[in-house]
Amino acid sequence: MLSEAAQSEVDQLLEHAVIPRDLDAEIVYAVGTFYLVRSELRSDTEREQDRLVAAVLLAPLAVSRPHDLPETLLGWMEPVLQAYTQAGDTLAQIIGRSLVLAACMVLQQRLGEPDRHGLLAELTDQAVTLLPPGHETRPLALCAHGYALLLEGDPASIAGNTSDRAVAVFREAYEQLRPAAKV
């Protein structure tokens, strides 16, 4: 579980989780539980990072399909779900958080490789749609969407329209991150 080969296999598996405008629940479950189990074998900092990834990936399943998850996993997820509830997140926003994390992980793996089918652009667009302006995760969703737009299609023929859309999305993210001007 700690080997680079295991991480590579999980990374490849996560890429298969990206389906049009959604994530494959079974693959997300497998990847999320991988991170949770691996967290028990890691140092404190890495443990917390793996637990965070597992929690964000598994949260939509815990909310929308709790009957499909083991009781021990649901018990572990309870504090995470309470935090989302206290933040005022709806199921759609919890799903949006998960979509953003998964998309960012896949984008990081691909670093510059084209997304010829546009699935990452669709997925990140769905995340942006689910996360309303002012939501703490929306700027990250917008940045991921802008980057996915730049990777969409054949890199040799990126049209001005695609790059214009990406720039507009990056600007929106910047505006949401920029502190309000003092009057």
Side-chain angles (χ1 to χ4, degrees):
M1 290 206 90
L2 296 175
S3 71
E4 287 184 33
Q7 182 66 55
S8 177
E9 287 183 35
V10 168
D11 290 346
Q12 290 174 15
L13 184 60
L14 186 59
E15 284 198 37
H16 293 290
V18 178
I19 56 177
R21 301 192 69 77
D22 204 355
L23 293 173
D24 182 291
E26 291 175 1
I27 294 176
V28 169
Y29 174 77
V31 173
T33 54
F34 168 84
Y35 277 98
L36 183 58
V37 170
R38 185 177 80 169
S39 74
E40 295 301 317
L41 305 173
R42 300 190 72 174
S43 68
D44 290 343
T45 304
E46 293 171 324
R47 178 179 302 127
E48 289 309 310
Q49 188 175 7
D50 278 2
R51 286 181 179 173
L52 176 63
V53 169
V56 174
L57 287 174
L58 294 170
L61 298 177
V63 173
S64 66
R65 300 168 65 169
H67 55 281
D68 291 344
L69 300 179
E71 288 296 321
T72 54
L73 183 59
L74 286 173
W76 178 81
M77 290 292 304
E78 191 59 36
V80 174
L81 299 177
Q82 286 177 352
Y84 285 157
T85 301
Q86 289 173 350
D89 279 3
T90 63
L91 174 58
Q93 292 165 346
I94 293 170
I95 292 170
R97 286 178 187 262
S98 185
L99 293 176
V100 171
L101 176 66
C104 286
M105 291 171 72
V106 172
L107 284 167
Q108 183 178 10
Q109 292 163 27
R110 292 186 178 178
L111 287 180
E113 294 176 25
D115 180 24
R116 298 193 192 284
H117 303 290
L119 291 179
L120 284 170
E122 286 184 31
L123 185 68
T124 54
D125 181 58
Q126 179 69 9
V128 169
T129 302
L130 294 172
L131 298 166
H135 190 279
E136 65 183 358
T137 308
R138 186 176 171 91
L140 177 60
L142 288 164
C143 288
H145 185 51
Y147 189 64
L149 286 170
L150 292 175
L151 295 178
E152 194 174 36
D154 183 3
S157 65
I158 290 181
N161 188 30
T162 298
S163 59
D164 290 346
R165 284 185 5 219
V167 168
V169 169
F170 286 129
R171 281 189 179 136
E172 184 181 346
Y174 172 75
E175 289 299 319
Q176 290 191 21
L177 286 171
R178 191 175 69 168
K182 294 181 180 179
V183 180

